[in-house]
Amino acid sequence: MSKVLYTDFEGVEDIIGSMMDNPHLKKAITRTNLYTFWNSILPEKFKNKSKPFGMLPGGTMTIACQNPVVAQELSLHKIMLLKKFEPYAKSLKMRVVDMKFDPKRWSED
């Protein structure tokens, strides 16, 4: 039996570096980082009843809500939420100009 020598391995740094060149992956990571700040701007009673779902073109963030009542309550606080969220978005060089609260997007996972 002959011995096989593997010497042409790519390092982890090289793999991650090439992955980070992908603009779609960069965008997804930035959005995920932005979503982590959601609970820090919410009033306590909404923290387990809403979560970021996605971004629409033009800087509109879609928020999944547990039920229509939560969606309505959050929509009444939209201006305050946008103002609180602005520094987090700016730090990631993103723009959030509107929020859409959607109870149809809610899932319990």
Side-chain angles (χ1 to χ4, degrees):
M1 184 183 296
S2 65
K3 193 173 187 180
V4 179
L5 298 176
Y6 296 98
T7 59
D8 197 21
F9 285 117
E10 255 189 282
V12 174
E13 299 86 16
D14 297 329
I15 294 170
I16 292 174
S18 65
M19 287 174 56
M20 289 308 293
D21 288 338
N22 182 334
H24 299 293
L25 184 60
K26 272 186 181 177
K27 189 183 232 182
I29 290 170
T30 304
R31 284 182 180 177
T32 302
N33 287 337
L34 182 66
Y35 298 162
T36 60
F37 297 119
W38 177 247
N39 279 339
S40 62
I41 68 160
L42 280 179
E44 192 64 37
K45 66 181 180 179
F46 296 116
K47 289 193 179 187
N48 295 323
K49 298 177 181 178
S50 65
K51 55 189 167 189
F53 181 78
M55 291 291 288
L56 298 172
T60 300
M61 180 183 278
T62 303
I63 307 298
C65 299
Q66 190 176 38
N67 56 52
V69 174
V70 173
Q72 179 65 31
E73 274 288 317
L74 288 174
S75 68
L76 294 173
H77 296 286
K78 185 189 325 189
I79 293 172
M80 182 251 331
L81 292 171
L82 284 167
K83 283 182 183 178
K84 282 184 165 183
F85 209 58
E86 185 178 10
Y88 298 110
K90 278 187 178 179
S91 71
L92 294 169
K93 296 180 175 96
M94 290 190 73
R95 192 175 73 116
V96 179
V97 295
D98 196 12
M99 293 180 180
K100 177 183 171 192
F101 303 99
D102 191 351
K104 296 175 194 164
R105 303 286 185 186
W106 183 259
S107 68
E108 292 291 335
D109 54 345

